[in-house]
């Protein structure tokens, strides 16, 4: 199979003379509501059908009402992230109202990626779909205390916005395997993940929140060649040389300890190395 993404950055259309050599296959849009219902039932939700339809309705309304941004995603990946978050919450709070758990999962996954002018619209959509549901305040007392200490250690000012974005980064890490932190230069992206790493390490030392220390494997993909980053084949000696990413990834994967391992690409985003 050849999957073409001609709309993505750095991609191009398959030439017609090459396209005729392959047989095209028609694809249909999956039934998000049915997939969501089945997964929610497997997580133990009793009101799975109604809640699955609300997830689909939320993303449908967001795609119609919110502004168009390149990093906004309302497809299957986004739905799966919400379902995973809802499953984690159900495991932690078995007796909690299911509508509250679902609303919290939708907010935790989506709020960090929305721009400020889209947030009021999203809040309105959430209120319409979950009328009368009021979310309890999440308990981040221990984390905020450790975060203030981490900011002081790194000589940073713990402003409210910075702490909020760092907590949102943590919430995204919980529900996703990989993610991107995007923003302008000197916006605090690197400081945010470093403060979060120190915070989780401090919580681990204190035995709070059931957290583990963080090992960060950071690299700047624009400071080296693609061969040095991913690995390259030497045409003269016919030897393969592993790249920095391969070595770091193997080191992290072979470590069987409980620590979190973050493989970080800390640099400008482009279509070549990504």
């Amino acid at each position: 199979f050849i999957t073409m993404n001609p709309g993505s950055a750095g991609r191009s259309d398959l030439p017609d003379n090459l396209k005729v050599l392959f047989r095209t296959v028609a694809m249909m849009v999956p039934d998000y509501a049915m997939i969501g219902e089945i997964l929610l039932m497997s997580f133990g939700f009793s009101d799975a059908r109604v809640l699955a339809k609300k997830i689909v309705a939320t993303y449908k309304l967001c795609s119609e009402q919110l502004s168009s941004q390149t990093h906004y995603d309302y497809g299957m990946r986004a739905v799966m992230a919400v379902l995973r978050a809802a499953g984690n919450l159900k495991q932690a709070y078995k007796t909690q109202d299911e509508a509250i758990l679902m609303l919290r999962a939708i907010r935790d996954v989506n709020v960090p990626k929305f721009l400020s002018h889209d947030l009021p619209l999203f809040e309105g959509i959430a209120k319409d779909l979950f009328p009368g549901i009021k979310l309890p305040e999440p308990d981040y007392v221990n984390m905020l205390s450790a975060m203030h200490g981490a900011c002081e250690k790194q000589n940073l000012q713990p402003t409210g916005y910075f702490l909020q974005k760092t907590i949102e980064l943590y919430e995204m890490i919980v529900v996703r395997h990989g993610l991107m932190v995007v923003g302008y230069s000197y916006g605090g992206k690197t400081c945010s993940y470093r403060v979060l790493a120190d915070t989780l390490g401090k919580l681990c030392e204190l035995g709070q929140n059931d957290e583990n220390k963080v090992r960060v494997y950071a690299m700047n993909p624009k400071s080296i060649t693609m061969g040095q980053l991913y690995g390259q084949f030497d045409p003269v000696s016919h030897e393969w040389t592993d790249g920095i990413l391969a070595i770091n990834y193997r080191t992290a994967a072979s470590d069987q300890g409980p620590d979190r391992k973050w493989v970080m690409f800390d640099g400008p985003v482009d279509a070549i190395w990504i």
Side-chain angles (χ1 to χ4, degrees), residues 180 185 189 219-223 265-271 273-274:
M180 290 176 67
S185 299
K189 302 183 294 296
M219 63 204 91
N220 184 353
K222 296 295 284 182
S223 65
F265 292 100
D266 196 348
V269 177
D270 66 20
W273 67 261
I274 206 165

Side-chain angles (χ1 to χ4, degrees), residues 129-161:
L129 289 171
F130 296 90
I133 300 296
K134 186 167 173 52
L135 286 180
E137 286 295 319
D139 181 17
Y140 284 125
V141 176
N142 295 337
M143 180 169 281
L144 284 170
S145 174
M147 214 173 276
H148 277 87
C151 287
E152 188 176 337
K153 177 183 168 186
Q154 298 185 29
N155 201 25
L156 298 171
Q157 291 185 0
T159 61
Y161 185 76

Side-chain angles (χ1 to χ4, degrees), residues 253-267:
S254 60
D255 184 358
Q256 300 298 314
D259 294 351
R260 291 174 181 263
K261 291 93 178 175
W262 293 354
V263 180
M264 304 286 302
F265 292 100
D266 196 348

Side-chain angles (χ1 to χ4, degrees), residues 22-74:
F22 297 93
R23 184 167 61 88
T24 56
V25 179
M27 304 290 288
M28 61 179 287
V29 179
D31 188 342
Y32 292 170
M34 184 183 291
I35 295 170
E37 180 187 345
I38 293 167
L39 283 170
L40 287 175
M41 290 188 80
S42 71
F43 291 137
F45 282 83
S46 57
D47 203 11
R49 179 166 296 178
V50 174
L51 294 175
K53 288 179 179 175
K54 287 191 176 186
I55 296 175
V56 176
T58 300
Y59 280 128
K60 185 174 182 292
L61 291 170
C62 285
S63 64
E64 293 170 354
Q65 297 183 20
L66 271 53
S67 65
S68 179
Q69 304 291 333
T70 52
H71 68 282
Y72 285 4
D73 173 32
Y74 307 116

Side-chain angles (χ1 to χ4, degrees), residues 122-198:
F122 175 73
E123 295 289 353
I125 291 169
K127 278 184 181 175
D128 289 344
L129 289 171
F130 296 90
I133 300 296
K134 186 167 173 52
L135 286 180
E137 286 295 319
D139 181 17
Y140 284 125
V141 176
N142 295 337
M143 180 169 281
L144 284 170
S145 174
M147 214 173 276
H148 277 87
C151 287
E152 188 176 337
K153 177 183 168 186
Q154 298 185 29
N155 201 25
L156 298 171
Q157 291 185 0
T159 61
Y161 185 76
F162 179 79
L163 296 178
Q164 175 195 342
K165 283 295 167 188
T166 306
I167 287 175
E168 288 177 358
L169 174 61
Y170 170 75
E171 290 173 345
M172 292 301 285
I173 288 171
V174 170
V175 297
R176 288 188 183 270
H177 295 297
L179 54 94
M180 290 176 67
V181 182
V182 294
Y184 291 116
S185 299
Y186 300 102
K189 302 183 294 296
T190 301
C191 289
S192 180
Y193 86 73
R194 286 177 178 169
V195 165
L196 180 58
D198 279 358

Side-chain angles (χ1 to χ4, degrees), residues 196-211:
L196 180 58
D198 279 358
T199 300
L200 297 179
K202 186 68 175 175
L203 290 173
C204 178
E205 289 175 11
L206 297 173
Q208 296 174 339
N209 292 33
D210 198 24
E211 281 298 341

